[in-house]
């Protein structure tokens, strides 16, 4: 994947109401206010160099969450409105990134 691919994905994130910080110290993508489905979330798996992804997951499957957790170098996956069990959370954490479950108010 290339910087061009990252730029395309980040432009899409902004187009659906998300945001991102892409600086030397931190590269983070947030989709906490967007309701996305599996096919949309799969696009994020193409990101390279991202440290954190924060998104609402009430409409996402475990297979897509597992795919996102496998992004090389991802340090943190923040899941908002997550209808996942403790064992599913542990399964995602075993893949690599820290898993944080939060509520969006």
């Amino acid at each position: 994947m290339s910087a061009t691919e990252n730029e395309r994905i980040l432009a899409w994130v902004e187009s659906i109401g998300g945001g991102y910080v892409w600086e030397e110290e931190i590269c983070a993508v947030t989709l906490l206010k967007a309701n996305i489905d599996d096919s949309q979330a799969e696009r994020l798996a193409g990101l390279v160099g991202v440290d954190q992804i924060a998104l609402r997951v009430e409409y996402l499957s475990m297979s897509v969450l597992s795919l996102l957790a496998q992004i090389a170098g991802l340090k943190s996956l923040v899941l908002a409105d997550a209808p996942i069990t403790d064992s599913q959370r542990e399964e995602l954490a075993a893949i690599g990134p820290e898993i944080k479950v939060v509520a969006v108010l």
Side-chain angles (χ1 to χ4, degrees):
M1 300 294 164
S2 67
T4 303
E5 180 69 6
N6 275 354
E7 290 172 7
R8 188 181 64 76
I9 294 169
L10 296 174
W12 169 76
V13 165
E14 284 189 316
S15 77
I16 63 168
Y20 65 91
V21 174
W22 208 270
E23 297 178 358
E24 191 172 315
E25 298 85 29
I26 182 78
C27 302
V29 174
T30 179
L31 285 163
L32 293 173
K33 296 185 180 182
N35 289 321
I36 61 173
D37 61 24
D38 281 352
S39 64
Q40 292 171 308
E42 286 175 349
R43 296 179 77 172
L44 299 173
L47 288 169
V48 175
V50 66
D51 297 312
Q52 181 182 71
I53 297 176
L55 68 164
R56 290 182 73 173
V57 297
E58 61 188 314
Y59 303 113
L60 301 182
S61 68
M62 269 302 289
S63 62
V64 168
L65 293 177
S66 294
L67 178 68
L68 295 179
Q70 293 174 48
I71 295 173
L74 186 67
K75 296 175 184 157
S76 175
L77 186 57
V78 179
L79 309 176
D81 300 331
I84 63 172
T85 65
D86 287 341
S87 64
Q88 289 171 321
R89 182 176 160 175
E90 290 170 10
E91 179 183 329
L92 291 172
I95 295 171
E98 177 183 9
I99 305 299
K100 299 178 183 178
V101 178
V102 299
V104 174
L105 302 174

